[in-house]
Amino acid sequence: MKRIVLFILLIPNLLFAEEELKKVFPIYRISSEFNKSIATNSAVYEFQFDTRNGLIQEELIRYSIDGVNGSKVLKNKTLTIQSTPGKHIFQFYYHDVYNEVYSDSLKIEARHHDSYSVTFHYARIQKMNEKPVIYLYPQLETKVRVEMDIHGDDIFTYPQYDDAWNFVAHPNGDLVFGENTYNYLFWEASQRAILTAKQTASGFFVEGKNAISFLEEKLTQAGLNAKEQADFITYWGPRLAKNELNFVHFEFNTECDVYANIDISPKPDNLYRVFIVWGAVSERFDVKEQEIKTMNRSGFTVLEWGGQESHIQQSFVNKNQKTEL
Amino acid sequence: MISFLEEKLTLAGLNSKEQADFITYWVPRLTQNEINFVRFEFNEECNRYAELEITPKPDHLVRFYMVWSPMDSATQLTPRAQQISAQKREGFTVLEWGGVEISLENRLATE
């Protein structure tokens, strides 16, 4: 049996500038000092917090030490925890838009005061616009060019996209690229994702256990056929089903331009775009039930569906809801 | 990543539609890592995930799972290149594909 040994490197400051260190290590030790005023069976950890964009307020920070939770208001961006000598594991949570920081086991000697730098990184704010897929159903075999202007980073497309996708579309939905035939065009990109007040004002609450029947009902209303629904549901269903409760909001047609603009020639008779924007929530808030737009499938029809798992900040939602009233 | 999978899936005999489903599902997940360790499992090897019974019995049941682990360049591992054999598709053919992400540590501990 092989074992992988992971080393925690405490690289001296000489090698890296402080900013560089913070970029690489969310948590690292700055100093360790013997302090005779600390009792023999005691030790003190000091954590100095920062964020990648330097915005740290004197706020409550939630932490856990060896799995036991606590919270404290920061003083000078610093949290001091008295503990026992030995090894301890910490977690820090500062704000919804930053990742939690997990420490490895941090060893401290008796009567020592160890200082650590802890840096919170933005992460949850950047979400993938996932699996938008585009189906095309011309009335006759047609040479089609699809140009996308995707708003976001880390763009992934399939089949490969250079200046455009060029292919022959068939009435049965087959998209022929030379020797290869596909059912759909695929793209994905990451983008900032926090639901706006407009988005959280209307939608649905969906319990995980009802996710499949909910999606079937809404997608049938939207006019997706069984194959398209299966693609959608096998992608999103298991993800929604994992949560006890989800908030779901749909975006239609030009509302989806915030994710990407799409230009198709020849121009289809009907282009229908639907994105599901959703996230886990702990409780229901006031929303208007959303009306589902139905697609028109006459003539040369193009369907695009996609979605985004959003981080829904309950406090943020409620605040916005109030200002809207 | 894309060309790697296209090559292996073509060897295994998946057609372009099936490849697109596979690639669009897995590639965005794998490209989040600097490097991945990938191994494919075929047919009865996949019984450990789920057993599958189909009536009438298909002439060919092809099961194809990708087991993958994120790695970083610091990890030393020198796997033997896996041989991918073409799967027969004549007659009533059933194809199942899937995948599992497993941490390298867990994997080395269990394999």
Side-chain angles (χ1 to χ4, degrees):
Chain A
M1 189 173 84
K2 289 184 202 165
R3 283 208 72 88
I4 300 277
V5 182
L6 297 170
F7 295 96
I8 309 301
L9 299 173
L10 294 174
I11 296 172
N13 289 4
L14 302 169
L15 290 179
F16 280 109
E18 195 186 328
E19 279 311 304
E20 289 300 309
L21 266 177
K22 286 182 176 179
K23 235 185 258 177
V24 182
F25 301 106
I27 183 161
Y28 66 90
R29 193 166 70 190
I30 305 165
S31 64
S32 176
E33 279 161 21
F34 177 76
N35 183 333
K36 63 180 185 217
S37 66
I38 299 172
T40 44
N41 58 348
S42 191
V44 174
Y45 287 98
E46 181 186 301
F47 298 100
Q48 300 171 8
F49 293 97
D50 200 357
T51 59
R52 286 284 294 124
N53 55 2
L55 289 172
I56 198 143
Q57 309 282 325
E58 300 294 304
E59 278 185 37
L60 195 73
I61 192 137
R62 277 177 241 162
Y63 64 91
S64 80
I65 167 167
D66 304 324
V68 180
N69 295 323
S71 61
K72 264 189 186 174
V73 174
L74 294 181
K75 275 192 192 140
N76 297 324
K77 305 182 179 180
T78 301
L79 171 70
T80 310
I81 297 175
Q82 191 163 341
S83 185
T84 51
K87 290 174 179 174
H88 300 285
I89 293 174
F90 295 88
Q91 279 178 36
F92 302 101
Y93 169 84
Y94 175 56
H95 191 276
D96 275 351
V97 298
Y98 299 105
N99 271 339
E100 286 168 57
V101 172
Y102 296 86
S103 80
D104 293 293
S105 145
L106 306 179
K107 193 178 174 199
I108 196 164
E109 306 285 341
R111 309 187 75 181
H112 274 66
H113 182 125
D114 287 5
S115 298
Y116 286 86
S117 159
V118 181
T119 309
F120 290 104
H121 290 245
Y122 261 129
R124 292 191 175 150
I125 205 163
Q126 197 77 7
K127 288 283 179 182
M128 292 307 274
N129 286 317
E130 285 175 274
K131 197 149 183 173
V133 294
I134 305 168
Y135 308 85
L136 299 97
Y137 305 98
Q139 286 183 299
L140 302 163
E141 201 178 299
T142 310
K143 260 183 131 171
V144 182
R145 178 182 170 88
V146 175
E147 260 182 90
M148 301 288 299
D149 182 8
I150 298 168
H151 313 305
D153 305 312
D154 309 319
I155 295 170
F156 170 67
T157 58
Y158 198 83
Q160 198 189 323
Y161 178 100
D162 295 317
D163 311 331
W165 277 304
N166 289 293
F167 52 93
V168 177
H170 293 250
N172 68 357
D174 278 355
L175 312 177
V176 179
F177 287 70
E179 288 176 359
N180 296 322
T181 302
Y182 302 101
N183 284 323
Y184 48 73
L185 310 170
F186 176 100
W187 66 271
E188 200 165 82
S190 64
Q191 209 184 33
R192 280 170 71 98
I194 284 190
L195 287 182
T196 62
K198 184 172 172 276
Q199 288 170 318
T200 52
S202 73
F204 305 91
F205 289 99
V206 184
E207 292 178 33
K209 61 177 195 280
N210 300 329
I212 306 300
S213 56
F214 166 83
L215 291 174
E216 282 173 345
E217 182 196 318
K218 298 305 168 200
L219 298 178
T220 304
Q221 275 180 33
L224 273 68
N225 69 29
K227 274 193 182 179
E228 295 153 358
Q229 288 192 27
D231 287 345
F232 188 109
I233 290 171
T234 55
Y235 193 81
W236 293 110
R239 310 247 314 249
L240 270 80
K242 264 187 215 156
N243 304 319
E244 205 162 299
L245 187 66
N246 303 282
F247 172 71
V248 171
H249 175 86
F250 292 100
E251 298 199 280
F252 299 99
N253 304 325
T254 51
E255 289 168 340
C256 303
D257 288 349
V258 294
Y259 306 116
N261 293 96
I262 179 166
D263 190 36
I264 302 166
S265 55
K267 202 174 173 309
D269 299 308
N270 289 295
L271 167 63
Y272 181 83
R273 308 179 76 186
V274 57
F275 274 61
I276 180 171
V277 185
W278 65 280
V281 286
S282 52
E283 57 187 37
R284 288 161 201 261
F285 43 86
D286 285 335
V287 293
K288 217 167 58 186
E289 192 170 299
Q290 203 182 0
E291 194 190 318
I292 303 294
K293 295 200 169 87
T294 305
M295 65 186 288
N296 180 345
R297 301 190 75 122
S298 59
F300 174 16
T301 304
V302 176
L303 162 70
E304 178 189 38
W305 66 254
Q308 193 176 61
E309 179 179 357
S310 255
H311 189 63
I312 300 173
Q313 288 174 252
Q314 208 91 31
S315 54
F316 172 88
V317 167
N318 293 336
K319 241 179 266 165
N320 277 288
Q321 236 68 322
K322 274 175 203 146
T323 47
E324 276 214 334
L325 301 172
Chain B
M1 192 73 235
I2 295 178
S3 54
F4 167 82
L5 287 176
E6 280 177 342
E7 182 198 321
K8 302 303 172 203
L9 299 179
T10 304
L11 278 173
L14 273 69
N15 69 33
S16 55
K17 283 186 184 181
E18 294 155 357
Q19 289 191 23
D21 287 342
F22 189 100
I23 287 169
T24 57
Y25 190 84
W26 289 113
V27 170
R29 287 154 210 252
L30 270 74
T31 48
Q32 283 171 14
N33 312 310
E34 198 182 332
I35 185 164
N36 299 282
F37 175 57
V38 170
R39 186 178 178 279
F40 297 102
E41 295 187 349
F42 291 93
N43 306 331
E44 55 281 359
E45 286 179 303
C46 303
N47 283 344
R48 64 162 121 163
Y49 307 114
E51 294 188 30
L52 184 62
E53 194 170 309
I54 300 164
T55 327
K57 201 173 174 310
D59 300 310
H60 295 288
L61 168 61
V62 180
R63 306 185 76 186
F64 182 78
Y65 277 60
M66 179 172 71
V67 186
W68 60 281
S69 312
M71 282 175 54
D72 55 53
S73 49
T75 315
Q76 296 292 321
L77 203 67
T78 45
R80 214 156 31 89
Q82 193 184 2
Q83 293 299 319
I84 310 287
S85 49
Q87 306 295 314
K88 285 209 176 100
R89 300 188 62 137
E90 306 108 45
F92 173 18
T93 305
V94 175
L95 165 71
E96 177 192 38
W97 64 255
V100 191
E101 179 185 357
I102 174 169
S103 82
L104 202 56
E105 254 182 328
N106 278 340
R107 191 162 178 166
L108 294 174
T110 54
E111 279 178 11

